Amino acid sequence: MKPTILLTGKTGQLGSELNRLLPNLGKVVAPDRNELDLREPEKIRQIMRNAKPQLVVNAAAYTAVDAAETDQANALAVNAEGPRLLALEAKEIGAMLVHFSTDYVFDGSKKAPYLETDSANPLNAYGRTKLAGEQAIRELGVTHLIFRTSWIYATHGRNFLRTILRLATEREELRIVDDQFGAPTCALDLAEAATSVLASIFAGTKSQQTFAEANGTYHMTAAGRTTWYEFAKAILEAALEAARRAPQDLPWLASATNARSLITRRVLPISTEEFRSPTRRPANSVLSNERLSQDFGVTLPDWRNQLQRCFSPKYVPANSLPS
Ligand SMILES: NC(=O)c1ccc[n+]([C@@H]2O[C@H](COP(=O)([O-])OP(=O)(O)OC[C@H]3O[C@@H](n4cnc5c(N)ncnc54)[C@H](OP(=O)(O)O)[C@@H]3O)[C@@H](O)[C@H]2O)c1
């Protein structure tokens, strides 16, 4: 029998992609923030008890990294207390929980890619609240998968890809941080990888693990690594190429640029110090995906291939589909 799946965060970058993929696995119940605000414990209880899901996929989060510095109570409520209550309710009804976390649980001092077993030491409030969410889930002992990912972008929503495209219509010169390393991960590729892991678990064939056996934390990011500066340059190259080719094939690009021309002529690398953000971010937040690959045979494409896919004429953004 197909499971009932409760999906939170369906309007987000990742959530909207999951909302179109998860129906392949089961019956999806996907309340939006008005129907299920993770800051409201009673709502969480009510929805969990009404929907009685076998699987809860939590793609909702407080993701505004800078705002979290001064809005810690809300960030903690959404990123830690809400997931704790989802986990508590899931355990109560015997459901399994899939939760997403972040590369920003690490402090970035390691030179090599981070392993799941490396110690977390977040530098900012967002990272601390996400780590608290992870810990609450583990402590409750609910059967869970925590997928840590990084630098999510999509052709919709608030993200670096769209910010660069907008800035490229406004400024001749962009100055972008070149000393923070990470792996930009497209929400669609991430959703596909997560769905593929779940599909293998639910298929329950001999080579695949059951959910309880798989229980734990997995890193799940694009392959490869880059800096924000290199990522920005790759975005502009892809956008200019798409604009030359057939811009009418990419309505999302016209919307991201307000149908204006790209005027940026120079992209300059700067240091984190020069950028002067009040929020600290790790210098290296590249995650090793070895465990995901070994346990599930799932590997995400290289970040450059993921970016190219967004600019392909075949790409259909999740938010352009009827909900
Ligand atoms: N973005 C990144 O670069 C990044 C990097 C690493 C890890 N992650 C993690 O990956 C996951 C997905 O991130 P994302 O980038 O897809 O997030 P996103 O685009 O910012 O979407 C967040 C979702 O959470 C919902 N939400 C926010 N506050 C809520 C509340 N109080 N109650 C219920 N829903 C609420 C939002 O609803 P509205 O649309 O109504 O606001 C939206 O649907 C999160 O766990 C995030 O921490 C993200």
Side-chain angles (χ1 to χ4, degrees):
M1 208 181 68
K2 287 201 160 189
T4 297
I5 305 170
L6 179 76
L7 170 68
T8 65
K10 75 163 174 191
T11 52
Q13 303 184 81
L14 172 63
S16 57
E17 300 294 355
L18 286 170
N19 199 29
R20 68 169 156 176
L21 294 175
L22 288 177
N24 297 325
L25 299 186
K27 176 180 166 246
V28 176
V29 178
D32 64 18
R33 188 212 286 238
N34 291 328
E35 294 156 324
L36 175 59
D37 190 319
L38 286 184
R39 294 167 303 180
E40 294 176 12
E42 199 41 52
K43 269 278 172 61
I44 295 177
R45 272 182 217 114
Q46 208 182 63
I47 294 229
M48 286 290 287
R49 286 173 194 193
N50 287 344
K52 297 187 186 62
Q54 280 82 45
L55 175 65
V56 180
V57 178
N58 181 30
Y62 187 114
T63 57
V65 178
D66 291 325
E69 293 293 308
T70 51
D71 190 20
Q72 296 198 27
N74 266 317
L76 198 66
V78 182
N79 291 344
E81 185 56 15
R84 189 185 74 79
L85 288 171
L86 281 176
L88 191 68
E89 289 297 318
K91 192 175 177 193
E92 188 84 15
I93 61 172
M96 298 161 293
L97 176 66
V98 173
H99 178 75
F100 291 87
S101 189
T102 172
D103 52 335
Y104 282 9
V105 297
F106 295 116
D107 63 18
S109 57
K110 189 177 174 185
K111 298 292 171 245
Y114 278 94
L115 304 174
E116 288 82 352
T117 46
D118 285 327
S119 306
N121 180 31
L123 296 178
N124 55 43
Y126 167 72
R128 284 192 292 275
T129 61
K130 291 295 292 184
L131 180 61
E134 288 188 9
Q135 286 166 339
I137 291 167
R138 286 190 202 105
E139 275 163 23
L140 274 169
V142 63
T143 305
H144 67 269
L145 295 175
I146 295 174
F147 294 131
R148 283 195 194 126
T149 189
S150 65
W151 296 22
I152 297 183
Y153 65 93
T155 56
H156 58 282
R158 286 159 56 94
N159 57 61
F160 188 77
L161 168 72
R162 289 181 62 97
T163 301
I164 290 298
L165 291 172
R166 178 179 53 76
L167 290 176
T169 67
E170 297 168 357
R171 300 185 194 171
E172 286 204 354
E173 182 177 288
L174 301 183
R175 294 158 61 82
I176 311 287
V177 170
D178 194 33
D179 56 3
Q180 290 172 24
F181 289 85
T185 304
C186 176
L188 175 56
D189 291 86
L190 178 62
E192 284 177 348
T195 307
S196 153
V197 168
L198 293 174
S200 74
I201 288 171
F202 283 115
T205 58
K206 205 163 59 147
S207 62
Q208 287 145 350
Q209 307 176 59
T210 67
F211 214 108
E213 286 167 343
N215 189 71
T217 301
Y218 296 83
H219 291 172
M220 185 180 271
T221 70
R225 63 167 221 162
T226 190
T227 65
W228 294 113
Y229 163 71
E230 292 292 343
F231 186 30
K233 282 202 311 182
I235 291 168
L236 283 178
E237 276 164 28
L240 286 167
E241 171 59 27
R244 265 194 300 272
R245 213 176 45 214
Q248 69 280 4
D249 286 347
L250 288 176
W252 75 262
L253 183 56
S255 125
T257 55
N258 270 329
R260 289 157 61 190
S261 304
L262 304 172
I263 61 164
T264 296
R265 297 288 166 264
R266 284 176 305 283
V267 185
L268 302 179
I270 59 166
S271 65
T272 297
E273 208 177 327
E274 284 171 283
F275 186 59
R276 292 171 177 267
S277 167
T279 313
R280 293 179 71 204
R281 287 175 168 78
N284 171 38
S285 63
V286 179
L287 306 182
S288 162
N289 292 298
E290 223 19 66
R291 187 175 181 206
L292 184 75
S293 157
Q294 268 173 13
D295 286 12
F296 297 109
V298 171
T299 314
L300 282 79
D302 184 83
W303 70 269
R304 281 189 187 274
N305 295 341
Q306 297 194 10
L307 182 64
Q308 280 306 327
R309 186 182 185 191
C310 292
F311 287 90
S312 135
K314 292 192 192 119
Y315 181 78
V316 182
N319 67 333
S320 67
L321 301 171
S323 57

